[in-house]
Amino acid sequence: SQKIEQNSEALNIQEGKTATLTCNYTNYSPAYLQWYRQDPGRGPVFLLLIRENEKEKRKERLKVTFDTTLKQSLFHITASQPADSATYLCALSPGANNLFFGTGTRLTVIP
Amino acid sequence: NAGVTQTPKFQVLKTGQSMTLQCAQDMNHEYMSWYRQDPGMGLRLIHYSVGAGITDQGEVPNGYNVSRSTTEDFPLRLLSAAPSQTSVYFCASSFNPLGFEQFFGPGTRLTVL
C-alpha cells in the first residue's frame, strides 16, 4: 500500500541549531513534493515545492532535498527560532490532480 | 484579499442530519479542493474542482457531494452525517493543479454525535 512517513511525531531542538525533518515514501512516484507548516487550529501554509528532477531547493533559512532513489525528502531549518515551532507536513503529488499528505512532525524549538 | 474563507468554524450534528460546509476564495483561482484531517492520519483529499462546472473525486469521496457553480465558491455537502465524518475539514485553492502551492482556509471542526 502507499505510505508516507514523517520521521517522528515530535522533535525538540535547541534554539540556534538546525532542525532536520524526514519524509519517506513507498509505492509513490511523485512528480512534486511540497512542505507545509501548520500551527494549532489553523490551515497549512505552503513553504517549498521541489520537483522530481531537482536535488535541492532553498528559501531563506529553509532547505529541502529530494532523493527519488532513496524515496526520501529532508527538510532543514537552520538557525532555528522558537517561532519555528509548529507541525510540518510533507505532501506528494504523483501527477497533476492528486496530493497525498504525511501525518506531520511537531517541531518544538527550545529557547 | 480575504484569501480562502470557510464557514462555519465549528459545527455539531446528529447522525443522519445534513449540512453544507461553505468555502469561498477571492483570488480567482481555478483549482479548489476539500480535505479532511484526522488524528494520526495525514490530510486526505475528498473532492476537487479544476474550474467552474467541473468536479472530481479524491481519495475519500464517499458520503460527500460537491458542486462548483462559480469560480469563487466550492461548498461541501454531507447528505446524511455519520460519526465517521467527525473531523476537521479544510478547503484549499490554487492557480495551478494540486501538485503545486495550495492556499488553505482556516478549517471547520465538525462533530457528528
Side-chain angles (χ1 to χ4, degrees):
Chain A
S1 64
Q2 298 171 321
K3 197 186 290 186
I4 302 170
E5 291 183 332
Q6 295 194 238
N7 54 329
S8 54
E9 271 193 39
L11 179 66
N12 296 335
I13 65 163
Q14 209 68 37
E15 181 176 4
K17 300 291 186 186
T18 296
T20 298
L21 284 64
T22 305
C23 178
N24 293 300
Y25 58 93
T26 56
N27 297 329
Y28 287 98
S29 296
Y32 313 101
L33 189 147
Q34 303 179 49
W35 284 88
Y36 287 82
R37 170 186 173 136
Q38 187 174 24
D39 292 286
R42 319 253 335 230
V45 174
F46 172 81
L47 296 174
L48 281 167
L49 178 147
I50 188 164
R51 290 172 166 78
E52 61 178 334
N53 60 349
E54 297 176 316
K55 296 289 185 194
E56 183 179 297
K57 216 53 166 313
R58 290 176 185 260
K59 180 183 174 183
E60 298 170 353
R61 295 185 295 112
L62 308 180
K63 184 177 85 171
V64 172
T65 63
F66 193 11
D67 189 327
T68 55
T69 302
L70 290 179
K71 293 185 182 292
Q72 180 181 80
S73 174
L74 299 179
F75 177 77
H76 307 271
I77 306 174
T78 58
S80 60
Q81 305 164 359
D84 295 326
S85 298
T87 296
Y88 292 86
L89 312 173
C90 73
L92 311 180
S93 178
N97 285 320
N98 232 328
L99 194 58
F100 298 96
F101 281 82
T103 53
T105 296
R106 188 172 67 251
L107 174 68
T108 302
V109 181
I110 302 163
Chain B
N1 283 355
V4 179
T5 58
Q6 291 184 238
T7 55
K9 197 159 178 63
F10 301 95
Q11 182 72 48
V12 178
L13 290 178
K14 293 182 180 176
T15 298
Q17 286 185 316
S18 63
M19 81 157 296
T20 300
L21 279 63
Q22 301 292 345
C23 174
Q25 52 93 8
D26 61 359
M27 297 174 282
N28 204 31
H29 287 168
E30 286 298 320
Y31 296 84
M32 295 187 74
S33 51
W34 277 101
Y35 298 84
R36 60 177 290 172
Q37 188 173 38
D38 301 294
M41 306 190 74
L43 283 130
R44 291 180 291 168
L45 181 64
I46 304 171
H47 285 285
Y48 66 94
S49 169
V50 302
I54 308 169
T55 64
D56 207 344
Q57 297 180 350
E59 189 183 355
V60 288
N62 292 342
Y64 307 95
N65 281 353
V66 292
S67 60
R68 183 106 179 265
S69 55
T70 67
T71 299
E72 294 78 21
D73 301 298
F74 191 42
L76 179 72
R77 295 184 190 83
L78 285 71
L79 296 179
S80 179
S84 60
Q85 294 178 303
T86 294
S87 188
V88 181
Y89 291 86
F90 290 99
C91 178
S93 72
S94 60
F95 282 117
N96 295 305
L98 271 57
F100 297 87
E101 177 182 1
Q102 300 294 302
F103 295 81
F104 282 86
T108 293
R109 182 174 293 275
L110 175 68
T111 302
V112 183
L113 302 175

